[in-house]
Amino acid sequence: MVALAQKPPSAERLRAIDGFLAEAWADQVRHDERLRGLAVDVRFDRGVAHLTGAVAEPAELRMVRDLVGRLAGVYGVWCRVGVGGREPVVVDLGCGGQKQYPTNLGLDIFPAPGVDAVADLSGSLPLADDSVDVLFAVHILEHLIDFLPLVDECHRVLRPGGVLHVMSPWWGHVNAVADPTHVRLLDVQTIKGICGQRPPGTPRWYPLHAGCDGASIFADLTPLPPTEPPPSPSHLARFFA
């Protein structure tokens, strides 16, 4: 059974975790021939791994993501990596005035500096099918009474192999109820439900990573094609009780 954190780590501990992760990844790169020559930079910030750079093939990016995600203490693996000479299309949902990366396309229901297009996230996204490589839904789902239509829209607009990054307050932390505009409580088990408890025929997701730091939950999800089998029990056991 996966134990969920009950108390968020202090700022000092988070700095120590980031230092440990940086050292562990540097050691991994030194000893893993598959990583040599790859132009991918990995930076750790409060337990979240940030990947930037470029690779030649999608399989190389998937490998780096997977190896980084296996490090103890990683809560999420956020990515902005070019593949095959093409820069990724990265969209921030509900970004307000603060994007995760300055060059992301920002969507929000209210106009603000950094918002590139005004859109109601409870409806259809103004994005074409299979047009986006990375979607950020940071502190968004808790504001929607029914967030599954948005999750389904994310599935529609992501390219094969694309990733949806989710971050929301954990239900057991005061941040989950301190904001009166929050209408949903979320847990890592909510992500398990998104991936494995939807009705037949609805879009399916494969969890690349999921975690909780005691204040927030994190999830990295990739669309699962209709013909692909569901995640194995051993894979799900990495993240979910």
Side-chain angles (χ1 to χ4, degrees):
M1 180 176 290
V2 178
L4 297 181
Q6 298 299 311
K7 183 179 179 181
S10 65
E12 181 179 0
R13 174 156 175 75
L14 285 170
R15 286 193 294 270
I17 290 173
D18 289 341
F20 161 78
L21 291 172
E23 293 174 3
W25 181 247
D27 188 60
Q28 176 89 15
V29 171
R30 282 193 298 269
H31 293 91
D32 193 328
E33 293 183 355
R34 297 172 296 174
L35 298 172
R36 293 174 188 168
L38 293 184
V40 177
D41 179 68
V42 181
R43 176 179 61 87
F44 299 95
D45 181 14
R46 301 175 64 86
V48 176
H50 295 262
L51 278 56
T52 54
V55 296
E57 302 290 339
E60 293 176 331
L61 176 57
R62 183 68 176 262
M63 176 191 65
V64 175
R65 282 192 51 90
D66 183 59
L67 292 176
V68 172
R70 293 182 185 183
L71 297 178
V74 170
Y75 298 125
V77 184
W78 293 6
C79 184
R80 187 184 176 87
V81 175
V83 178
R86 183 180 63 81
E87 286 296 309
V89 177
V90 186
V91 177
D92 254 306
L93 300 175
C95 64
Q98 184 176 2
K99 299 178 184 177
Q100 302 307 311
Y101 298 101
T103 55
N104 291 357
L105 174 68
L107 301 183
D108 202 291
I109 194 170
F110 299 114
V115 174
D116 300 291
V118 175
D120 182 356
L121 299 183
S122 64
S124 299
L125 295 177
L127 301 165
D129 294 359
D130 303 327
S131 63
V132 178
D133 296 288
V134 178
L135 284 166
F136 282 97
V138 177
H139 293 298
I140 296 302
L141 300 189
E142 66 272 17
H143 293 275
L144 300 174
I145 294 175
D146 183 3
F147 57 72
L148 289 176
L150 175 60
V151 172
D152 290 346
E153 275 291 279
C154 291
H155 194 287
R156 176 184 66 81
V157 305
L158 280 173
R159 292 189 173 107
V163 178
L164 168 63
H165 297 303
V166 174
M167 178 182 177
S168 286
W170 178 52
W171 71 269
H173 192 272
V174 66
N175 288 347
V177 295
D179 187 338
T181 67
H182 291 176
V183 295
R184 292 296 299 268
L185 298 176
L186 292 95
D187 185 78
V188 176
Q189 296 301 107
T190 310
I191 305 303
K192 180 182 180 181
I194 291 173
C195 295
Q197 298 177 12
R198 302 289 307 282
T202 54
R204 299 187 303 150
W205 294 90
Y206 186 95
L208 299 173
H209 206 81
C212 175
D213 66 0
S216 302
I217 65 164
F218 302 86
D220 303 328
L221 309 176
T222 190
L224 192 61
T227 57
E228 292 293 318
S232 67
S234 60
H235 180 77
L236 294 176
R238 291 179 58 193
F239 313 123
F240 309 120

